[in-house]
């Protein structure tokens, strides 16, 4: 049963300093008082310290492995070259998530998990897996690329998405969030993997080898890893509002799909030279086209969700029809920011940007309330967002 929308107060909502009681006359039933002790702060500090320590140690180990394998100069050149592909992949996923951006701390966590934890774990597990298959009467290169690598890498990348799903449940609202987090985990993994591959190519074949491999990995298939891991993110996104063990099968299906697509892609890459172009056209090109269509669908779906949920607020007097139309369209949002800058300068532009960001998050909060029902924390967040949306509107409208 959808939770009813709040109605605007008779007087404009005022924002208080502690984010509590900001909406005069709107008191949701069942609200839980905040923790009056310092324990929540201590827990956050402890958790942050643990995460930073783990990432720091992993960075030291991975850095030592890369420098030991390639040498400092070659490693630096490979890192610079691999960064060019990141300039393609990361902005693409941020573009997909433009209507309701995720917190920067979670985006960084996703990228660093892929770049440090997933790559380090994959190196260790792959070495163990290759020892296991060494006794088989199969080409170890093919078995490693088609069996060992897909299983170990997708499992470790998917674990990063799962941790965000578990620990940051209020920021994991649906399919688009799953795609973005999974894409950034995979982008981080591909970044470090590219450093190793590009550095090896440079050491063996010089600049020609470096440029040739960069064209293949950085320009022709920069979205290879994101294409696979997005299957896991999509599965988590589908069960974002049904967090029950009975929904775990969806994640297992997503992981299996990621492993299968990874294995299929790798097989097309290590196939015989005379069949490579055929497999490239039959496997890699269709996968990439399907991936682009998925991103387009996710982008449109989020726009539709924003429009539908904000329309409900509009009916209750919180937004005008023109504002709802603007907030659900990326081009109109850019034009609105330019307009605010023209009429009110940087202050009005910042207010318009905040108005857009908060409205997108408000739509996702309402989506959760309609799907799951009253949630004291989300009801509080809704009240805060409605208040700050009204305050920021005053800035650029008053201009």
């Amino acid at each position: 049963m959808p939770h009813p929308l709040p109605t605007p107060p008779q007087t404009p909502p005022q924002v208080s300093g502690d984010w509590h009681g900001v909406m005069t006359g709107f008191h949701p039933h069942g609200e839980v008082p905040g923790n009056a002790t310092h324990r929540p702060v201590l827990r956050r500090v402890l958790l942050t310290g643990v995460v930073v320590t783990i990432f720091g140690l992993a960075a030291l180990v991975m850095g030592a492995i890369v420098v030991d394998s390639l040498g400092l100069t070659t490693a630096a050149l490979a890192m610079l070259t691999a960064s060019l592909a990141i300039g393609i992949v990361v902005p693409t996923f941020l573009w997909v998530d433009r209507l309701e951006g995720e917190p920067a701390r979670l985006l960084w966590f996703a990228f660093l998990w892929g770049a440090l934890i997933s790559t380090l774990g994959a190196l260790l597990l792959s070495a163990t897996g290759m020892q296991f298959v060494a006794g088989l009467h199969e080409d170890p290169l093919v078995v490693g690329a088609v069996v060992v690598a897909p299983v170990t890498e997708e499992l470790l990348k998917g674990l990063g998405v799962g941790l965000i799903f578990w620990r940051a449940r209020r920021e994991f609202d649906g399919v688009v969030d799953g795609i973005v987090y999974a894409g950034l985990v995979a982008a981080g993994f591909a970044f470090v993997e590219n450093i190793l591959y590009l550095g090896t190519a440079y050491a063996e074949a010089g600049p020609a080898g470096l440029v040739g491999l960069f064209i293949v990995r950085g320009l022709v298939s920069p979205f290879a890893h994101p294409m696979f891991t997005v299957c896991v993110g999509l599965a988590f996104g589908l069960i974002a509002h049904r967090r029950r063990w009975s929904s775990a099968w969806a994640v297992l299906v997503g992981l299996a799909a990621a492993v299968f697509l990874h294995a299929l892609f790798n097989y097309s890459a290590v196939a015989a030279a005379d069949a490579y172009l055929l497999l490239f056209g039959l496997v890699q090109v269709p996968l990439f086209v399907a991936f682009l269509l998925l991103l387009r669908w996710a982008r449109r779906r989020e726009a539709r969700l924003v429009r539908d949920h904000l329309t409900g607020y509009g009916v209750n007097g919180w937004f005008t029809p023109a504002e709802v139309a603007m907030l659900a369209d990326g081009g109109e949002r850019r034009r609105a920011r330019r307009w605010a800058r023209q009429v009110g300068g940087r202050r009005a532009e910042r207010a318009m940007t905040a108005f857009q960001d908060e409205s997108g998050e408000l739509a996702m909060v309402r989506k959760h309330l309609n799907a799951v029902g009253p949630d004291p924390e989300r009801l509080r967040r809704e009240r805060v967002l409605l208040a700050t949306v009204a305050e920021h509107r005053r800035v650029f409208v008053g201009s």
Side-chain angles (χ1 to χ4, degrees), residues 65-280:
I65 291 174
V66 171
V67 172
D68 182 65
S69 301
L70 305 175
L72 184 58
T73 302
T74 301
L77 179 61
M79 180 181 295
L80 179 62
T81 308
S83 300
L84 299 178
I86 294 298
I88 299 173
V89 176
V90 171
T92 298
F93 284 102
L94 297 181
W95 167 78
V96 171
D97 194 40
R98 77 205 187 288
L99 296 185
E100 191 262 327
E102 303 309 308
R105 69 182 190 281
L106 294 180
L107 299 178
W108 276 109
F109 177 89
F111 184 83
L112 293 176
W113 177 275
L116 301 175
I117 308 300
S118 296
T119 50
L120 183 58
L123 286 175
L124 299 175
L125 292 179
S126 294
T128 304
M130 291 304 294
Q131 290 179 354
F132 176 77
V133 303
L136 301 178
H137 299 290
E138 301 290 344
D139 184 350
L141 177 63
V142 174
V143 174
V146 179
V147 178
V148 177
V151 173
T152 57
E153 293 174 9
E154 295 309 321
L155 185 62
L156 287 163
K157 288 185 289 180
L159 180 60
V161 183
L163 285 174
I164 297 174
F165 180 82
W166 172 50
R167 292 296 304 174
R169 61 182 60 197
R170 298 192 186 281
E171 301 294 346
F172 209 120
D173 297 307
V175 169
V176 172
D177 292 357
I179 289 174
V180 171
Y181 290 133
L184 289 181
V185 169
F189 185 95
F191 174 60
V192 174
E193 187 181 61
N194 282 342
I195 293 173
L196 292 168
Y197 281 125
L198 291 169
T200 302
Y202 179 77
E204 294 178 351
L210 176 69
V211 173
L213 189 60
F214 172 74
I215 291 174
V216 172
R217 294 184 64 89
L219 299 181
V220 175
S221 56
F223 291 97
H225 276 286
M227 283 193 299
F228 317 139
T229 314
V230 154
C231 296
V232 180
L234 185 62
F236 276 115
L238 290 173
I239 66 170
H241 299 301
R242 300 189 301 276
R243 293 171 180 266
R244 299 184 296 269
W245 282 108
S246 58
S247 301
W249 64 269
V251 178
L252 296 178
V253 171
L255 179 61
V259 171
F260 172 75
L261 293 179
H262 196 155
L264 188 63
F265 190 92
N266 282 5
Y267 177 75
S268 68
V270 300
D274 56 348
Y276 175 75
L277 290 179
L278 176 63
L279 289 174
F280 179 84

Side-chain angles (χ1 to χ4, degrees), residues 311-393:
T311 296
Y313 287 107
V315 170
N316 283 267
W318 289 102
F319 293 94
T320 68
E323 287 174 338
V324 172
M326 177 269 290
L327 291 166
D329 184 275
E332 292 300 323
R333 288 161 70 104
R334 287 191 296 274
R335 281 188 282 274
R337 291 193 295 271
R338 288 197 298 268
W339 168 82
R341 175 73 177 273
Q342 292 169 358
V343 300
R346 290 185 180 275
R347 180 170 177 268
E349 182 183 23
R350 288 195 298 269
M352 175 63 78
T353 300
F355 176 81
Q356 294 174 347
D357 293 341
E358 292 158 354
S359 299
E361 184 175 346
L362 179 64
M364 296 303 109
V365 170
R366 173 49 50 179
K367 174 190 172 186
H368 179 91
L369 290 172
N370 287 348
V372 179
D375 175 346
E377 177 59 26
R378 289 189 185 268
L379 288 171
R380 183 193 69 83
R381 185 62 180 156
E382 178 186 52
R383 193 167 70 249
V384 169
L385 290 168
L386 287 171
T388 55
V389 160
E391 289 295 317
H392 285 121
R393 180 194 286 113

